[in-house]
Amino acid sequence: MKSPFYTAEHDAFRDVMRRFVEKEIAPFAHEWDEAGEFPRGLYRKAAEIGLLGLGFPEEYGGIAADQFMKIVASQELARAGAGGVSASLMSHTIGSPPIARAARAEVKARVLPQVLSGEKISALAITEPGGGSDVAGLRTRAQRDGDHYVVTGEKTFITSGMRADYLTVAVRTGGEGAGGVSLLLIEGDTPGLSRTRLKKMGWWASDTATLHFDECPVPAENLIGEEGQGFKIIMQNFNSERMGMAAGCTAFARVCLDEAIAYAKERKTFGKPLAQHQVIRHKIVDMAQKVAASQAMLEMLAWRLEQGESPVAEICMMKNQATQTMAFCASEAVQIFGGAGFMRGIKAERIYREVKVNAIGGGTEEIMKDLASRQMGL
């Protein structure tokens, strides 16, 4: 559908992204899902078309990009119906912004060009075995010892956790609560760091890990921002992450809609195509209605962000709107496919398995409601 928010530049990038996904991802999505990983060379290919650099400073290899360019990137990636590939390929969009925003100049110059060129992989490590979105309650400890910090603790459910060369890690450098939280850049070959691969319901092609820090020495220069300022940086990061997830989830819902329409036109039951049965037509219209509503809300929020607003409550609600739309459309698409929808290999089946990770990651649906209500003064 036409939208007033996209320019010729956005459309040109959409064409580049579409060709990239059709050539480099879609033909291999099922194979990579079954293998539990995708080739590391995909990062370099993504960097070559400018995907990895979107929104990062040009001096480090980034490319200026507004909210709508980022929506284009997320939604074109989703066309492959491979959430695991999207999650790990783009893990730097949550791992590297704190570096770009608050790390020392020499750290930025050393790390960001490697990540944005696809040479190195960046990941974010916040969640711990004892708590998810309760960032203020994290337990991983970083004790200052001369020109180093000594880090002890664990992080879990870390996207790109097994392969990441650079880990942006939330640690406790001070007392209890948000004021004691800091961010450290920990390199993947740091002594004392070990990793355990995790098996998941969905996102099979994305490596996910638990990280174990056993008295890891980390140079003090790798502190991101000031001590005790990590919580604020993390919260800024969450808003961007949630917008990206909302864009992707809305697009995954549209993939389910498109797949369902194509199948309903082709598949015949009781002497006529599925699409000629009223109950199927109604399902498809319900799907289309929810996708259109979610896309409209997403684009209006993106416009408000471009105007300098910070609509935190609406971003929280947007994430829920998008994940609920994805859940509805994935379920209805599998239902329309019938037995074929239960078989591995089609996009709708993969997306159906990936619904819950989106409703949990970046803040659960319940937390989004609570944050939104607080922003509304309730």
Side-chain angles (χ1 to χ4, degrees):
M1 295 182 294
K2 290 291 184 181
S3 168
F5 297 111
Y6 301 97
T7 66
E9 186 179 3
H10 295 117
D11 293 338
F13 183 62
R14 188 186 302 279
D15 290 340
V16 170
M17 281 294 305
R18 190 158 298 187
R19 290 194 298 271
F20 172 76
V21 171
E22 289 176 350
K23 178 184 178 183
E24 303 292 352
I25 300 178
F28 314 107
H30 176 61
E31 173 188 338
W32 292 344
D33 221 36
E34 295 293 330
E37 63 181 8
F38 59 87
R40 187 164 176 139
L42 188 64
Y43 290 91
R44 287 187 181 273
K45 292 178 180 179
E48 288 172 1
I49 65 166
L51 174 59
L52 301 190
L54 287 181
F56 285 92
E58 295 181 35
E59 62 189 295
Y60 303 117
I63 299 172
D66 64 7
Q67 293 290 327
F68 295 99
M69 200 68 83
K70 294 176 183 179
I71 288 175
V72 168
S74 294
Q75 299 203 320
E76 289 302 316
L77 277 176
R79 288 174 64 86
V85 176
S86 297
S88 274
L89 183 63
M90 303 302 286
S91 64
H92 74 292
T93 61
I94 56 174
S96 289
I99 301 171
R101 184 179 298 120
R104 287 172 169 77
E106 57 270 25
V107 174
K108 294 180 186 181
R110 175 169 56 88
V111 172
L112 292 177
Q114 296 182 76
V115 172
L116 302 183
S117 67
E119 180 183 347
K120 301 290 187 179
I121 298 172
S122 169
L124 180 70
I126 304 293
T127 302
E128 299 185 349
S133 297
D134 181 14
V135 179
L138 65 85
R139 311 306 305 169
T140 297
R141 169 68 60 177
Q143 185 71 41
R144 184 69 181 261
D145 183 11
D147 60 356
H148 282 73
Y149 288 94
V150 179
V151 180
T152 302
E154 286 188 320
K155 300 292 180 179
T156 195
F157 311 140
I158 307 306
T159 300
S160 292
M162 294 301 298
R163 299 201 291 190
D165 303 288
Y166 295 114
L167 297 158
T168 299
V169 184
V171 296
R172 183 162 301 284
T173 53
E176 296 299 312
V181 175
S182 300
L183 279 176
L184 282 177
L185 175 67
I186 301 181
E187 302 194 25
D189 59 358
T190 299
L193 169 62
S194 59
R195 321 184 197 206
T196 303
R197 186 180 299 275
L198 300 175
K199 293 185 176 181
K200 314 175 293 295
M201 177 190 298
W203 278 9
W204 294 351
S206 169
D207 87 71
T208 308
T210 294
L211 310 177
H212 312 273
F213 302 98
D214 185 8
E215 297 187 350
C216 295
V218 179
E221 68 182 25
N222 283 19
L223 180 68
I224 299 174
E226 301 297 326
E227 272 199 16
Q229 297 300 307
F231 186 85
K232 180 180 179 180
I233 300 172
I234 293 166
M235 292 303 106
Q236 292 172 334
N237 216 41
F238 272 143
N239 284 334
S240 176
E241 178 183 6
R242 288 161 186 162
M243 282 293 290
M245 292 183 73
C249 289
T250 301
F252 283 123
R254 182 180 289 113
V255 169
C256 290
L257 170 62
D258 292 343
E259 292 270 288
I261 290 173
Y263 187 77
K265 289 180 176 179
E266 174 188 314
R267 169 71 165 157
K268 291 185 177 180
T269 62
F270 303 101
K272 58 183 179 181
L274 273 177
Q276 291 184 18
H277 293 281
Q278 185 184 60
V279 67
I280 300 299
R281 294 201 303 271
H282 286 188
K283 283 180 179 291
I284 289 171
V285 170
D286 284 341
M287 294 165 72
Q289 176 182 317
K290 292 180 183 295
V291 170
S294 295
Q295 186 71 20
M297 184 177 181
L298 174 71
E299 292 177 354
M300 183 53 68
L301 270 178
W303 180 83
R304 291 179 62 187
L305 287 168
E306 286 296 311
Q307 308 314 304
E309 295 185 38
S310 182
V312 175
E314 289 86 349
I315 290 173
C316 292
M317 289 186 277
M318 177 72 253
K319 180 180 181 289
N320 281 357
Q321 169 72 19
T323 55
Q324 290 166 11
T325 296
M326 178 184 177
F328 179 84
C329 291
S331 179
E332 291 295 77
V334 169
Q335 192 72 19
I336 290 170
F337 270 87
F342 194 63
M343 299 296 104
R344 274 154 55 172
I346 67 169
K347 293 178 182 178
E349 181 270 336
R350 279 200 304 274
I351 293 171
Y352 186 82
R353 285 190 278 106
E354 295 171 355
V355 164
K356 276 300 176 185
V357 68
N358 290 283
I360 294 170
T364 66
E365 184 173 307
E366 295 79 11
I367 289 173
M368 293 300 94
K369 292 178 181 178
D370 193 51
L371 286 175
S373 67
R374 292 183 186 184
Q375 290 291 320
M376 295 165 65
L378 301 177

